Amino acid sequence: SRLLLQPACCIHACTAMPAYNGPSGSTDLYRWANIAPGEEVEIEFDLPTGCRHRDIDVRIQPDNVAVNIMGQRVVDGDLLNRCDPDESRWEIRGTRLVVVLQKARGSKIPWPNVFVKDCKKTFDFEDVKNFF
């Protein structure tokens, strides 16, 4: 697997994550959501005051994402599902870093989580009822 460092492509006005009736969630470090029509997953990180493009390092591999902001490792984790690093990207939207992961092979199957480490250890019907 090759590492892919992509530049921030643009700055957008501060907006909320797009609405989509698919799995989404948040941790102490980030928010994430499957994005309509279902081929992408977005991960949002709040940026500290004074953070610039050059202060951000995002590395996207098919099965791993690493994010460093102002020299601090924020995330370095194995993905629950594979992404297409050539079609994935990152951008700054207002005061947030948004990593957009393109699902591998054009998949539209919702991701129940982004990173393996955040997966629940047990499941119940509530976890899968939206798939039936």
Side-chain angles (χ1 to χ4, degrees), residues 11-17 44 46 92-96:
I11 297 175
H12 295 278
C14 186
T15 59
M17 291 190 83
E44 284 188 349
D46 292 321
I92 294 176
R93 295 183 190 162
T95 59
R96 297 182 312 268

Side-chain angles (χ1 to χ4, degrees), residues 2-3 32 68 87 118-119:
R2 65 185 172 96
L3 291 178
W32 66 275
N68 292 297
E87 296 297 321
D118 295 326
C119 290

Side-chain angles (χ1 to χ4, degrees), residues 34-107:
N34 287 269
I35 304 303
E39 296 174 347
E40 296 177 336
V41 172
E42 286 190 358
I43 312 167
E44 284 188 349
F45 301 88
D46 292 321
L47 293 172
T49 302
C51 185
R52 299 180 185 180
H53 288 249
R54 68 175 181 250
D55 299 322
I56 299 169
D57 179 35
V58 177
R59 297 178 188 270
I60 302 171
Q61 296 177 315
D63 57 359
N64 182 278
V65 170
V67 176
N68 292 297
I69 299 173
M70 297 182 82
Q72 297 286 90
R73 174 73 38 111
V74 180
V75 167
D76 186 357
D78 292 331
L79 296 171
L80 180 61
N81 295 291
R82 294 177 69 80
C83 74
D84 180 345
D86 293 329
E87 296 297 321
S88 298
R89 63 194 182 282
W90 65 271
E91 56 195 44
I92 294 176
R93 295 183 190 162
T95 59
R96 297 182 312 268
L97 165 65
V98 179
V99 178
V100 182
L101 301 176
Q102 179 74 35
K103 295 176 184 175
R105 295 177 292 284
S107 173

